[in-house]
Each structure stands twice: as structure tokens, then as C-alpha cells.
Amino acid sequence: MERTRARSIAPGVALVVALLAGCAAAPAPAPTPTPSIPSPSASADPTPLEGPVAPTGAATVLAQGLNAPWSVVRLDEETMPGGSALISERDTAKVRELTAGGELRDAGTVPGVSPGGEGGLLGLATLREADTAWLYAYLTAASDNRIVRMPLLGSAGSLELGAAEVVLAGIPKAGNHNGGRIAFGPDGMLYATAGDAGRPNLARDPSSLGGKILRMTPEGGTPPDAPWGSVVHSIGHRNPQGIAWGDDGTMYASEFGQNTWDELNIIVAGQDYGWPVVEGIANAEGFVNPIHHWSTDEASPSGLAHTHDTLFMAALRGETLWSIVVGLESVDAAPYFAGEYGRLRDAIAGPDGTLWVLTNNTDGRGSPREGDDKLLQIQLAGQQPG
């Protein structure tokens, strides 16, 4: 597939310093699937891939009949041996287990979830600590958005959720702009995307948790190097919903714009990303430019994955999987499967050169197709030059 270059590209992508110089704010002080559905498995060709990579061929269905799924995590051998994956359903508050044999079952319901609008059971993340495998969940409660964690009990194929304990509370909630993605970074800290809850002025206020990228210890504490002396990591965000890290540790985030531009940002501690003053690449003093932007009808981005030197961004309104290669002086973005599977909510690296993608057509805004919603597996291959 021919790759398309951004209409607008922020200069100096190669070095974060270049992104920040002269335009960044200084940090402030201190059902069971049908037999036709295959089991999650390695690709037919296990040859190691060299990046960048791109989708090849049609997607295969790993699971179907999901109800407004929002996040998927694969359980690695260290966290919980056995090859299972866990999927959150926004409105039912259920965590579904997809077993290595392809069975879809309920692992449990997360307590305290108050679904409404874009809120409910959102992002998932996992962590192994000593003898405990923890499942973290970002959820909308009666009065706020919060992060909880629950021990995973039992073994793969029969997992259950233990009692929930609060990791972080007090993130502003609303019918929309709740953020909701969580992931552990290469530094061992837990990161979360928090939307502005429809109150734009919260985004640039370091004392509020709304409109931020948050960073915390696994127990919800403030890291010693926090730029504002709190769990606030960066400010000026409208509704970020995707986070991923490159092999060099660079942190990326995808973000919903308002009426004009959706964004892909490189996230640096203590910086201001401009909302609600600017949207997209504005070259405005005091704010960090996104490295790429899209019109809102092309994207409306949610989950973000990094694998083999390539970012993959799931787009809702755009109904597209975007493949993104960040080069020294440019960002190249190519659309795949436009309109083929409907709204796409999450993307994660799959086993042996594959990508997993969640559709999101049963959330009240999509047009459900037969079997929706689904977890798809997409084979990746090295990109052809030219």
C-alpha cells in the first residue's frame, strides 16, 4: 500500500530537544466463539521481522460477540503462564478471558463501575509483583474516574478477579472526555491518560488531574522525579486515549482533537501540549507541537501500539488502522482497512509478528456488523521500499 505523508510535520522529530526548543513550557517547580474462530496463535511464518512493518492480508477473528470492548491485554509467561488474554467491556464492567484454546469466558465483573456516555470500564494493564499477578483497571465510578487493581486468582483458562483496591481516585469524570488508557512504562511506573471531562480549563491546571498524562508508582504514589510534585506528568491534553513506547524509550500518545485536528505527540515530563489554547501543529510559543496531526474525520484516535519500529493507531470515527513510521525528519502515516471493520478502539502487539485490534461498533455510536464486536488478529510483514 502506498504510504502517505503528513500534510503538516513538526520539525526536528529526531530529537525531543528539537521539539521542545523555543516552543515548550518550562517544567513547573518541583458468549463461546463459533468453531470457525481460530485460537490465538503464532503466525504461520515465524521468521523474525525487521521493521518498519505493515499489515498484510485480511484480519482473522479471534473472538466475537463482545459488548463495547475497550481494552485488551495479553498475559505473558511471567505475569500468568498459559497464553490467556483479558478484554474489558465498557458498559457491562466485565473482564472477559480469551483462553489459549480460543474460548471466551467471564473472569469477573469490576465493582464500582458506573457506566454512562463514554465512561465505564476502560483501560487494563497487568503487573507481576512477587507471588501476585495484578490486573489494573481504569474505570468511571459514581463521582470520579479512578484506577483500581485486583489480584488475578486461579490459572489461565479459569481466571477470577480478587478484591479491588484503589490505586488513584479523583480523576474528573463526565459523559465524555474521560481518557482511560493505562500502561506500565519502561521505567516501571504506571501511566494513565486523563481527559478534560468537558472542562477545557482543567487541562493546563497542574493542580487538577483532568486533561493530563499521569504517572505514578504501582501503588499510586508520586514518583520522586515528578515535575509538579504530584502524579501529573504532562499538561494541556484534551482527551488522550493511546500511549506506547518506542524501543528507545520515547513515549507517544494519541489524542482526540475538538473540531479540527487529532494528534500524535511525543510526551516529555513537565511539558504543556497546548489544549485548550491550541489544537494540532500550531508552532505556538510555550507549547509542544504534535509530531503529526489528522483531521478529526480521518482519525478520532484511541489505542496505540508500537512493534517493529512502527506505531499502529486505532481510529474510531475514521474506521481506520493507521500505520505510522517516525523518521529523522518526517512522520509517514498510512491508512489500512478503511471502513472494513468499522470503528477501531484498541491495538496491541500480538504474538510472532501479528497485531491485535479491537473493533468498537456496539458502543452506541457505531453500526454493528455480524458478530460484532470482535478481536482481530492481523499478520504483519516488512514494508516494501518505495
Side-chain angles (χ1 to χ4, degrees):
M1 172 172 285
E2 182 180 356
R3 296 163 65 198
T4 59
R5 178 161 295 188
R7 288 189 293 273
S8 301
I9 298 171
V13 170
L15 298 173
V16 173
V17 170
L19 279 170
L20 304 179
C23 66
T32 302
T34 64
S36 63
I37 298 177
S39 302
S41 61
S43 62
D45 180 7
T47 304
L49 290 177
E50 293 185 3
V53 293
T56 177
T60 59
V61 178
L62 296 181
Q64 64 182 9
L66 297 164
N67 187 338
W70 212 93
S71 179
V72 55
V73 291
R74 295 173 57 221
L75 300 177
D76 60 25
E77 288 300 300
E78 179 181 351
T79 304
M80 178 64 68
S84 285
L86 299 174
I87 304 166
S88 63
E89 292 186 339
R90 188 190 69 185
D91 299 336
T92 69
K94 290 180 179 179
V95 174
R96 313 294 303 278
E97 179 185 10
L98 177 64
T99 71
E103 177 191 1
L104 191 63
R105 58 175 298 274
D106 292 350
T109 300
V110 179
V113 178
S114 181
E118 296 174 2
L121 178 59
L122 305 179
L124 301 179
T126 59
L127 177 70
R128 183 81 187 193
E129 282 186 330
D131 295 330
T132 303
W134 293 101
L135 178 66
Y136 287 71
Y138 186 115
L139 61 91
T140 307
S143 60
D144 60 2
N145 286 303
R146 56 182 56 191
I147 300 169
V148 303
R149 68 177 187 175
M150 300 150 286
L152 286 172
L153 308 178
S155 58
S158 58
L159 290 173
E160 297 180 357
L161 306 180
E165 60 182 55
V166 176
V167 174
L168 181 71
I171 306 170
K173 64 165 280 188
N176 54 16
H177 302 189
N178 289 295
R181 195 70 56 189
I182 54 175
F184 281 94
D187 58 358
M189 296 294 172
L190 179 64
Y191 291 75
T193 67
D196 68 5
R199 289 174 278 170
N201 290 337
L202 297 181
R204 299 188 60 231
D205 178 1
S207 69
S208 170
L209 300 182
K212 309 294 190 300
I213 303 291
L214 308 176
R215 174 176 176 259
M216 68 205 78
T217 68
E219 298 75 28
T222 298
D225 56 349
W228 283 281
S230 72
V231 299
V232 172
H233 188 62
S234 61
I235 68 175
H237 300 284
R238 181 177 180 269
N239 192 22
Q241 283 194 8
I243 45 179
W245 288 263
D247 292 336
D248 61 357
T250 300
M251 182 181 180
Y252 301 91
S254 55
E255 181 168 338
F256 282 85
Q258 185 174 29
N259 298 316
T260 309
W261 300 117
D262 295 322
E263 300 178 356
L264 178 66
N265 287 292
I266 288 179
I267 301 299
V268 177
Q271 300 303 321
D272 187 340
Y273 290 80
W275 177 255
V277 180
V278 296
E279 183 181 355
I281 298 171
N283 296 316
E285 185 176 355
F287 306 121
V288 181
N289 274 331
I291 60 171
H292 192 97
H293 64 201
W294 295 258
S295 65
T296 54
D297 61 345
E298 290 180 302
S300 296
S302 191
L304 187 67
H306 181 274
T307 185
H308 297 92
D309 301 324
T310 311
L311 290 163
F312 289 97
M313 189 179 79
L316 292 163
R317 183 177 175 187
E319 298 189 351
T320 298
L321 178 68
W322 287 94
S323 167
I324 306 160
V325 178
V326 180
L328 293 176
E329 297 181 354
S330 65
V331 176
D332 289 328
Y336 289 86
F337 308 112
E340 220 170 308
Y341 301 108
R343 292 159 56 85
L344 305 181
R345 173 63 75 178
D346 198 11
I348 65 169
D352 298 321
T354 66
L355 189 76
W356 286 11
V357 175
L358 273 179
T359 69
N360 200 195
N361 298 313
T362 59
D363 70 344
R365 293 185 175 180
S367 299
R369 297 125 192 261
E370 185 179 358
D372 275 344
D373 269 311
K374 305 180 183 78
L375 174 63
L376 307 174
Q377 180 169 279
I378 297 166
Q379 183 65 52
L380 302 175
Q383 293 191 12
Q384 298 300 314

